Amino acid sequence: MFETKDRQTGGFFIDIRLVSANTFVMSAVLPTYARIDLRFEKGQGAYLITETGERYLDFGAGIAVNALGHAHPHLVEALTQQAGKLWHTSNLYHIPGQEKLAARLAQNTFADKVFFSNSGAEALECCLKMARKFHAFHNHDERFRFIAFDGAFHGRTLATIAAGGQQKYLEGFGPPLAGFDHVTFGDLEAVKAAITDETAAILIEPIQGEGGIRVAEWRFLRQLRELCDQHDVLLIFDEVQCGVGRTGKLFAHEWSGITPDIMAVAKGIGGGFPLGACLATQKAACGMSAGTHGSTFGGNPLAMAVGNAVLDVVLEDGFLQAVQDKALWLRQRLAEVVDENADIFELIRREGLMLGLKCKIPNTTVVDALLQQKLLTVPAGDNVVRLLPPLIVTEEDMAKACECLHSACKDLRYSETNLIK
């Protein structure tokens, strides 16, 4: 039985249809995703479990979101305790959880100030506005342009698809938002040539996730820092996917020994709960006064409870070192997988537990074959399969994933429909 609105009269009528267990009615969900036909009912650690009880090893982690796996007891406790007290007040009032989480992020990073949002795209929007506002605050309204990089992904808003510059995301949405100059990832001379008197900031992912696990050389990041200082340009890092312990440091840029002026964070910081943040130095945030930016739900008590719980775990003594140790173990085993299946895989790209297998056949074919082995992975640009296990993954889980990879390659090699010649 379905209650349906009559578009002509505005009234409602009852539409009764007999639907069997194997019959699907047309979904009311906007079809913007090519969804896999799986329905998960619950999760446990590194596993997702379907409505029928099938267990899938999750090496996608909600695209690097479920940093602590599924149903982590400390996160569950924090969320349920807060849910029984207070959900939402809006930012008209002080939210103690914001003060706590902001202070902890500032204490453990370069930042002095934090703005909380609900997603990575929102965090990036704040970063972009802050950079332009910084220069306007210093009477340089002409400095509004950003240097960004080919292959980048910064979100799905009109501003962030313009920042990413990828045609497949821009197509059909009219002229891209002005102010973004794209150069080749890792090309310092191209960056130098792109800097003008209108440049406000350089925006870069230290590791491109959607772009195919392309890791910026740490030397290149240091050179960008020098260029920014030389030209009074701000440096913005997008660590939405590579941050919060994913590389074995709290944030990936720490490996380079330099810091940005502004940084976008999301995904792992909420451990599965919608949470993003823009982190900035006091200098970079100088123009952001009352009324310059806002969010109705950003920094709500539920999100803050979970964000603080995530930091409780990630900042525990030994946790990040354990991520580094696991990453080394997995990288060595994946090297064996690539060596033994050189007709399918070309190479490994990696930093910590953010890994990619560049394929010699369509990456979607490999993802599908791994799905048949009940291993969940994520396709990426440059024909790469992403492996983004939760940071609490065990050696047993990683060994199982490698077994799945070997089995999938065997199936691909001898399949009549996917014969590799």
Side-chain angles (χ1 to χ4, degrees):
M1 181 181 293
F2 301 88
E3 189 178 62
T4 307
K5 187 172 183 179
D6 187 322
R7 294 183 184 277
Q8 292 184 332
T9 67
F12 288 84
F13 63 91
I14 302 298
D15 180 12
I16 301 175
R17 284 170 281 177
L18 180 63
V19 182
S20 72
N22 296 319
T23 302
F24 295 96
V25 296
M26 184 175 292
S27 174
V29 177
L30 192 68
T32 55
Y33 299 101
R35 300 178 193 270
I36 298 168
D37 190 19
L38 284 173
R39 291 167 175 79
F40 294 111
E41 184 177 54
K42 59 183 178 179
Q44 184 178 55
Y47 282 84
L48 280 169
I49 303 163
T50 68
E51 295 170 328
T52 58
E54 292 181 297
R55 290 169 60 86
Y56 284 75
L57 183 55
D58 186 5
F59 267 47
I63 315 182
V65 167
N66 299 303
L68 301 181
H70 300 284
H72 191 285
H74 187 58
L75 272 61
V76 171
E77 181 183 12
L79 181 60
T80 53
Q81 283 188 1
Q82 184 60 49
K85 294 188 292 185
L86 183 65
W87 290 26
H88 178 75
T89 63
S90 89
N91 286 294
L92 292 173
Y93 313 101
H94 289 285
I95 299 174
Q98 282 191 28
E99 299 291 344
K100 179 180 179 180
L101 185 54
R104 296 176 76 186
L105 287 169
Q107 182 180 359
N108 288 280
T109 70
F110 69 95
D112 303 305
K113 298 294 180 182
V114 182
F115 177 88
F116 292 109
S117 63
N118 308 285
S119 67
E122 290 174 85
L124 260 298
E125 288 277 349
C126 184
C127 292
L128 298 173
K129 287 178 68 176
M130 183 181 290
R132 286 183 171 179
K133 195 68 172 178
F134 168 82
H135 291 290
F137 182 82
H138 293 289
N139 299 313
H140 288 290
D141 290 358
E142 76 281 1
R143 305 195 76 165
F144 72 98
R145 304 193 68 84
F146 298 89
I147 296 173
F149 293 86
D150 294 342
F153 181 82
H154 297 296
R156 300 276 190 166
T157 67
L158 287 175
T160 52
I161 61 173
Q166 295 194 48
Q167 188 58 38
K168 63 181 179 180
Y169 298 124
L170 290 165
E171 187 175 353
F173 296 107
L177 184 70
F180 296 94
D181 304 308
H182 294 90
V183 300
T184 302
F185 188 70
D187 188 337
L188 184 66
E189 294 307 313
V191 177
K192 290 179 180 179
I195 295 176
T196 71
D197 292 339
E198 294 184 340
T199 303
I202 296 174
L203 170 62
I204 188 170
E205 300 160 278
I207 305 172
Q208 288 189 345
E210 177 78 14
I213 313 296
R214 297 202 297 169
V215 183
E217 293 185 5
W218 305 137
R219 179 171 176 267
F220 179 64
L221 295 185
R222 291 193 290 269
Q223 291 169 328
L224 291 183
R225 176 74 274 175
E226 292 172 2
L227 271 180
C228 288
D229 293 340
Q230 179 182 347
H231 293 277
D232 196 24
V233 167
L234 297 178
L235 180 60
I236 305 173
F237 285 161
D238 177 347
E239 291 227 22
V240 168
Q241 188 166 151
C242 63
V244 195
R246 177 58 53 184
T247 66
K249 296 282 190 183
L250 185 58
F251 291 104
H253 71 265
E254 294 176 35
W255 292 104
S256 70
I258 57 97
T259 58
D261 300 294
I262 309 173
M263 180 170 70
V265 181
K267 291 186 181 286
I269 190 64
F273 197 92
L275 174 57
C278 170
L279 280 61
T281 63
Q282 178 67 52
K283 174 185 174 182
C286 64
M288 303 300 284
S289 57
T292 55
H293 198 53
S295 171
T296 297
F297 294 106
N300 67 78
L302 292 172
M304 296 300 93
V306 178
N308 274 300
V310 168
L311 284 192
D312 289 344
V313 177
V314 174
L315 295 178
E316 281 182 346
D317 288 343
F319 183 88
L320 293 173
Q321 182 59 53
V323 172
Q324 295 179 36
D325 295 341
K326 294 172 187 179
L328 176 61
W329 191 96
L330 182 56
R331 183 169 74 244
Q332 292 172 339
R333 299 308 181 278
L334 288 177
E336 296 171 3
V337 171
V338 171
D339 287 345
E340 294 176 26
N341 299 281
D343 52 345
I344 296 174
F345 297 120
E346 182 175 333
L347 52 84
I348 305 171
R349 293 174 178 168
R350 79 293 180 277
E351 193 64 53
L353 288 176
M354 189 174 184
L355 305 107
L357 296 173
K358 185 168 172 58
C359 303
K360 293 183 177 178
I361 64 174
N363 59 349
T364 52
T365 300
V366 178
V367 168
D368 289 344
L370 291 170
L371 188 64
Q372 296 304 309
Q373 298 296 323
K374 293 185 169 55
L375 176 65
L376 304 176
T377 57
V378 184
D382 203 24
N383 204 35
V384 165
V385 172
R386 272 179 284 185
L387 303 175
L388 304 165
L391 307 183
I392 49 84
V393 69
T394 66
E395 188 173 311
E396 181 181 0
D397 297 332
M398 294 187 291
K400 176 65 175 175
C402 291
E403 290 176 12
C404 292
L405 280 160
H406 280 296
S407 297
C409 289
K410 182 178 179 181
D411 289 347
L412 284 167
R413 190 171 292 110
Y414 295 107
S415 169
E416 291 182 358
T417 57
N418 293 300
L419 183 64
I420 301 171
K421 299 180 180 180

